[in-house]
Amino acid sequence: MASPSTILAKRAEQACLNGWPALQSVMLDGWQLRFSRGHTKRANSISLLWPSSTDPCAKIRLCEKLYARHGLPTIFQLSSLDVEILDPALDAAGYGARFDESCILHRNLASNPGQDVPATVTLQTSVAESWLQALARIQGQSMSAQASSRALFGSVALPAAFSASLAPDGQIAAIAFGAVHDGIVCLNSVATDLAFRRRGHARLAVEAILAWARREEQADGACLPVMAANTAALELYRSLGFSTEIGRYSYRLKQS
């Protein structure tokens, strides 16, 4: 029987996958192939969901054909548990070293439910044009990236919420997005306008999502992926109660 920590890690993994959906996906003998016009690696990569029953080398070649058909590079998103399973086959197929390692951090909402959210934070359960425009402005998105973002958020099937922390002049200073799966809210797109950093706006945007998830969807936990090398983000999220690392993943890319 799986340990409680393994069960929690699997719940969080599913929350992350379902909370940041691909525009198209294919299931292939335990692997999930995700296609989203190249917008973010997570939504355009291959995840190993359960053990395979066929030769991994043949499956890798099939994946490469499918990604080439979509005009995309073949990228594998691999958890720390996948090293012994697939790394030898990827080595033989000409994939580069792992890169962009990310941590999945968890916060127990039952023991750490969070703080009250002021009226200067807005929250909606469908994506608003003003929220999308703020995301594009903060991230400096191109027109094609904006179109992909719009399509991706529109494809979320889970209960979801979009928060925005407002500056005194009413401008959106920070945003966050969260979707709830199996009692866990997965946070994404936490971003602060450069002009309003270090004023607590990201904290308020995140807390609004967590309060909604606990109140409306009875979530007992929250998770989010963050780059392992991003020390500033790690410090922020740990100060927000995301103190437990429950997993890691990184990517391997087919070399030309």
Side-chain angles (χ1 to χ4, degrees):
M1 183 175 179
S3 67
S5 60
T6 299
I7 293 172
L8 177 60
K10 283 296 183 183
R11 286 175 62 202
E13 179 184 24
Q14 292 179 15
C16 288
L17 287 170
N18 292 326
W20 193 254
L23 300 182
Q24 296 174 293
S25 65
V26 172
M27 292 302 302
L28 178 63
D29 186 35
W31 296 2
Q32 184 184 45
L33 286 62
R34 292 151 60 86
F35 306 91
S36 298
R37 307 173 188 167
H39 183 61
T40 79
K41 293 188 298 297
R42 274 194 294 154
N44 292 276
S45 58
I46 302 161
S47 297
L48 281 62
L49 301 185
W50 59 78
S52 299
S53 59
T54 57
D55 173 41
C57 295
K59 284 172 62 177
I60 290 170
R61 290 193 294 271
L62 179 55
C63 291
E64 291 171 355
K65 290 180 180 179
L66 283 171
Y67 277 88
R69 184 175 182 272
H70 285 261
L72 296 170
T74 308
I75 305 174
F76 282 82
Q77 179 184 317
L78 303 167
S79 77
S80 54
L81 302 176
D82 297 327
V83 177
E84 296 180 1
I85 298 173
L86 199 60
D87 271 355
L90 291 175
D91 290 341
Y95 283 73
R98 290 186 176 228
F99 67 99
D100 283 358
E101 184 177 39
S102 293
C103 313
I104 299 177
L105 303 181
H106 180 263
R107 169 172 159 177
N108 187 324
L109 295 181
S111 61
N112 185 2
Q115 63 186 52
D116 294 333
V117 180
T120 54
V121 181
T122 65
L123 185 136
Q124 295 176 288
T125 53
S126 60
V127 64
E129 185 63 31
S130 59
W131 194 95
L132 288 168
Q133 290 177 1
L135 176 68
R137 171 172 50 82
I138 293 170
Q139 294 187 346
Q141 291 183 338
S142 65
M143 293 301 293
S144 62
Q146 291 179 49
S148 295
S149 285
R150 189 181 300 274
L152 189 151
F153 289 118
S155 70
V156 176
L158 299 176
F162 303 80
S163 66
S165 178
L166 305 181
D169 63 359
Q171 184 177 349
I172 294 178
I175 58 173
F177 159 72
V180 179
H181 170 79
D182 190 23
I184 295 180
V185 56
C186 180
L187 283 148
N188 283 290
S189 298
V190 180
T192 305
D193 189 301
L194 186 62
F196 298 103
R197 288 186 179 173
R198 300 190 180 278
R199 301 186 192 180
H201 286 291
R203 178 184 297 270
L204 293 175
V206 168
E207 289 290 357
I209 297 290
L210 302 185
W212 161 82
R214 184 165 172 76
R215 180 182 67 252
E216 301 296 333
E217 300 298 332
Q218 294 73 54
D220 58 18
C223 68
L224 54 82
V226 58
M227 294 283 290
N230 191 339
T231 55
L234 287 170
E235 289 177 5
L236 168 65
Y237 294 129
R238 284 172 178 151
S239 74
L240 283 167
F242 291 85
S243 55
T244 304
E245 182 181 316
I246 58 175
R248 290 196 173 206
Y249 64 86
S250 53
Y251 297 93
R252 294 194 66 177
L253 171 67
K254 176 75 172 184
Q255 301 298 290
S256 57

